[in-house]
Amino acid sequence: MEKAAGKLVVVMVLVTAAIFEGTRSLSLCDMSDDGLLACKPSATQPNPVDPPSEECCKALTGANLTCLCSYRNSWMLPSLGIDPDLALGLPAKCNLTTPADC
Ligand SMILES: *[C@@H]1O[C@H](CO)[C@@H](O)[C@H](O)[C@H]1NC(C)=O
Ligand SMILES: *[C@@H]1O[C@H](CO)[C@@H](O)[C@H](O)[C@H]1NC(C)=O
């Protein structure tokens, strides 16, 4: 019983490490760390900054929005303190078009 639990923890640590390695720390969907930080105030509850800052919109312009959409139901964004619904509403607020299948 205890052994199995230990194994699960190891697996989870490895998976987490792999995910963070794959996204190069905070970089997400071609957004730089700076861009992500600029957008974070607008994608965080309870008082999101609206409209998002120019830096954030600039970062989103270069971001892979298709990729961002794939995080809608992921625990990744909440684990960074980001509200997925707010995050995916940001492109529209920057007058960017989100992919149709988002
Ligand atoms: C954007 O992300 C999607 C899903 O991760 C990927 O399939 C696609 O190739 C990426 N597009 C660009 C331009 O990097
Ligand atoms: C988006 O477009 C609207 C209407 O054209 C404009 O009023 C608004 O300032 C634009 N917002 C940004 C962030 O460019």
Side-chain angles (χ1 to χ4, degrees):
M1 188 69 178
E2 259 173 46
K3 227 177 182 177
K7 223 179 205 171
L8 188 63
V9 168
V10 170
V11 168
M12 282 177 67
V13 168
L14 286 179
V15 167
T16 308
I19 288 169
F20 278 91
E21 185 67 27
T23 53
R24 274 171 296 125
S25 73
L26 260 180
S27 308
L28 197 69
C29 298
D30 298 340
M31 282 182 85
S32 65
D33 290 5
D34 286 349
L36 215 52
L37 283 177
C39 286
K40 207 175 166 191
S42 301
T44 316
Q45 297 283 13
N47 293 307
V49 175
D50 190 14
S53 67
E54 206 175 304
E55 289 77 28
C56 169
C57 288
K58 224 181 274 173
L60 281 172
T61 307
N64 183 341
L65 297 178
T66 310
C67 162
L68 210 58
C69 287
S70 69
Y71 280 95
R72 181 187 269 289
N73 296 312
S74 155
W75 48 266
M76 259 293 282
L77 295 178
S79 77
L80 295 172
I82 292 171
D83 183 303
D85 287 332
L86 286 175
L88 293 171
L90 288 180
K93 287 180 180 163
C94 298
N95 288 345
L96 297 168
T97 359
T98 32
D101 58 351
C102 189

